Amino acid sequence: MPPDPARFEAVAPRLGQLLLVGFRGTEGDAEDDLQRLICGARVGGILLFGRNVVDPGQVTRLTERARAIARDCGALSLLVAVDAEGGQVMRLRPDAGYGPTLSARELGASHDLALTELEGLRIGRMLRDAGINWNLAPVVDVGYNPANPVIVAYGRSFGADPRRVTALAGAWIRGMHAAGILTALKHFPGHGSSFADSHHGFVDVTATADAAVELLPYRTLMDAQLADSIMTAHVFNKRLDRKYPATLSRRTVTGLLRHQLGFGGLVISDDLRMGAIEGRYGIDRAAVLTLGAGVDVALIADDRLPDGRSAAEVALWAMRHAVGTGRLSIERVTEALARVRTLKQRAENGGTVSEWDSRIPAARRPAAVAAEDQAPSKRTTSSLRGSEGWAPRRMQASAAAAFAKRSPSSKEVRSARVTARAALKVSPAAVVSRTATAKPGA
């Protein structure tokens, strides 16, 4: 049924808040696109790519200008997002003047949670200085298929062991939070088993997906209050939904993620311009199906369509029409808007995680005190010791602070590994190790 006209008129102007959009340009040449997206479409956030990056000063000016545009036209505060996984998937790259970073695969091979947390802190400070408040990372896909072309091949997974992936991702997120940056776990319900890349076309993981393995990082990180947001994958699994890939699947997003796993936070889609989605459904239909499935923010990596139109405006028109005709319920949109508003409030408050979404069932809230609530000098991380179990490390806050302030001399040419290892050499007394073992799932 079509909604009440008054309710529709109250919601329709805010539908742009459910879009995160990438644009073109670096400074003056980005002005028109930013004005149109922020003041016209009223998008909830913008997404930076390598095409927007020249050098650190330019990126900071660009994000400052985007926020100034929002203020000038009375738009809501912006989420400014980026993919900063480290390694090969890093938009703030060394050739643009940023320091080198470790990939998830390198951190996984290090078996060191202290190092991983420090690397998350270092990247987080890099983002914060650039004016970015939302990192669409880390990848928590379990890379158990060595022939995977999009996750494993690019070193984006922490490893093939779900417990290792969970532990390292948690440490990396804590580093991000220490820098005031929000994160996104991806790609739900798992892309690590695939033999194909959803950037290019349809990906079927029905025969390779393993829920017991791939959902463990999500369950555990949610319980630890480390899931700021979750990004969906464009993978098809007929055991979950016989018609739609995960991003467009109500059975997967609302049924599995919301109801079964109990996630009450914000869900964002992967890029709707990817071959697995745009080529089969079109931007307009995909945007409506995505929101109807339970996703709160639809991501559009490149706003410029081949015919010159704005992908955000096409999606926005379809969303308005779907809400106006009752195909997309007012309740679903209102729920999504509330989650966007909550994430923005957290971003404005430096990514604080003290207040958890009350819609998460009590059974999924951790009873123990989270690591973020402990005094910095008492915070415990761990080094993985393979099958021997865990070797906890207590790291003084001064070590993290000192490392975060370090910056290599312009005359030094450091590899990513050497740069990150320097974290553990800041103070010989900063890290005190003691050998201990624990249960595998601890």
Side-chain angles (χ1 to χ4, degrees):
M1 294 289 292
D4 176 77
R7 293 187 69 193
F8 173 75
E9 291 302 326
V11 166
R14 295 184 288 155
L15 288 174
Q17 291 294 296
L18 308 183
L19 297 176
L20 180 71
V21 186
F23 58 97
R24 300 189 185 185
T26 56
E27 290 197 68
D29 55 343
E31 184 76 14
D32 289 345
D33 283 356
L34 289 175
Q35 290 280 355
R36 176 171 44 76
L37 291 172
I38 297 170
C39 300
R42 300 272 169 164
V43 298
I46 57 173
L47 179 61
L48 302 184
F49 283 89
R51 61 177 179 261
N52 306 119
V53 176
V54 176
D55 57 61
Q58 169 269 325
V59 175
T60 302
R61 291 192 298 273
L62 179 62
T63 57
E64 288 175 349
R65 178 55 187 155
R67 289 189 168 92
I69 290 173
R71 289 192 300 269
D72 291 346
C73 65
L76 298 176
S77 62
L78 282 176
L79 290 166
V80 180
V82 73
D83 291 292
E85 300 172 13
Q88 293 190 57
V89 183
M90 188 72 193
R91 312 307 183 196
L92 307 185
R93 57 197 186 277
D95 64 4
Y98 292 95
T101 56
L102 289 173
S103 68
R105 177 165 56 200
E106 290 174 308
L107 292 171
S110 77
H111 296 197
D112 199 321
L113 297 191
L115 175 64
T116 302
E117 183 170 347
L118 286 170
E119 183 70 350
L121 172 64
R122 190 169 68 92
I123 295 175
R125 287 175 62 92
M126 189 186 303
L127 302 185
R128 186 188 65 189
D129 292 345
I132 295 164
N133 53 23
W134 191 14
N135 188 3
L136 304 184
V139 168
V140 294
D141 295 317
V142 182
Y144 61 90
N145 175 13
N148 179 278
V150 63
I151 303 298
V152 177
Y154 287 94
R156 301 171 69 192
S157 173
F158 289 107
D161 181 346
R163 294 171 299 176
R164 176 175 298 177
V165 170
T166 302
L168 291 167
W172 196 85
I173 291 169
R174 289 187 183 96
M176 280 283 153
H177 284 175
I181 303 298
L182 296 170
T183 60
L185 309 181
K186 63 185 185 183
H187 307 80
F188 185 85
H191 208 319
S193 73
S194 74
F195 282 92
D197 183 350
S198 55
H199 288 82
H200 305 305
F202 182 75
V203 175
D204 190 340
V205 296
T206 304
T208 58
D210 186 338
V213 170
E214 295 181 279
L215 297 184
L216 177 63
Y218 294 97
R219 294 179 187 273
T220 309
L221 294 171
M222 285 162 52
D223 282 345
Q225 295 191 5
L226 293 175
D228 302 323
S229 59
I230 291 177
M231 177 183 285
T232 61
H234 299 330
V235 296
F236 174 80
N237 184 343
K238 69 179 180 183
R239 289 179 290 178
L240 294 176
D241 192 319
R242 302 186 67 87
K243 186 175 182 180
Y244 293 117
T247 297
L248 313 183
S249 169
R250 182 172 176 80
R251 291 175 178 269
T252 303
V253 180
T254 298
L256 176 58
L257 181 56
R258 298 289 192 201
H259 294 166
Q260 293 185 38
L261 300 184
F263 184 61
L266 183 141
V267 177
I268 180 172
S269 77
D270 206 342
D271 177 23
L272 298 187
R273 296 293 308 274
M274 287 184 183
I277 300 297
E278 184 178 25
R280 296 174 67 89
Y281 302 95
I283 289 294
D284 48 358
R285 184 183 176 204
V288 174
L289 288 171
T290 295
L291 296 175
V295 174
D296 304 302
V297 173
L299 189 158
I300 298 173
D302 188 352
D303 185 51
R304 192 173 301 174
L305 294 172
D307 60 7
R309 292 181 300 162
S310 162
E313 291 173 358
V314 170
L316 192 56
W317 181 90
M319 291 156 58
R320 287 177 58 91
H321 184 264
V323 174
T325 57
R327 182 183 174 194
L328 189 60
S329 72
I330 288 282
E331 290 73 21
R332 169 79 272 273
V333 170
T334 301
E335 179 184 62
L337 288 169
R339 291 195 179 108
V340 171
R341 184 167 60 250
T342 298
L343 195 73
K344 286 190 173 187
Q345 289 170 348
R346 286 188 54 196
E348 292 171 359
N349 293 330
T352 54
V353 294
S354 58
E355 293 188 9
W356 196 237
D357 194 324
S358 61
R359 285 168 296 206
I360 296 177
R364 297 222 59 82
R365 296 186 198 137
V369 177
E372 292 82 1
D373 298 326
Q374 300 176 24
S377 62
K378 301 296 184 182
R379 189 173 300 171
T380 300
T381 57
S382 303
S383 283
L384 297 175
R385 293 285 181 84
S387 60
E388 298 175 3
W390 305 87
R393 285 185 174 181
R394 181 160 294 170
M395 182 181 68
Q396 300 290 344
S398 58
F403 174 62
K405 292 178 181 178
R406 288 172 63 96
S407 58
S409 166
S410 60
K411 297 181 179 180
E412 295 177 320
V413 179
R414 300 170 181 247
S415 68
R417 185 177 297 278
V418 171
T419 301
R421 279 178 175 170
L424 300 183
K425 299 178 182 178
V426 172
S427 169
V431 179
V432 180
S433 297
R434 60 184 177 84
T435 303
T437 58
K439 296 180 181 179

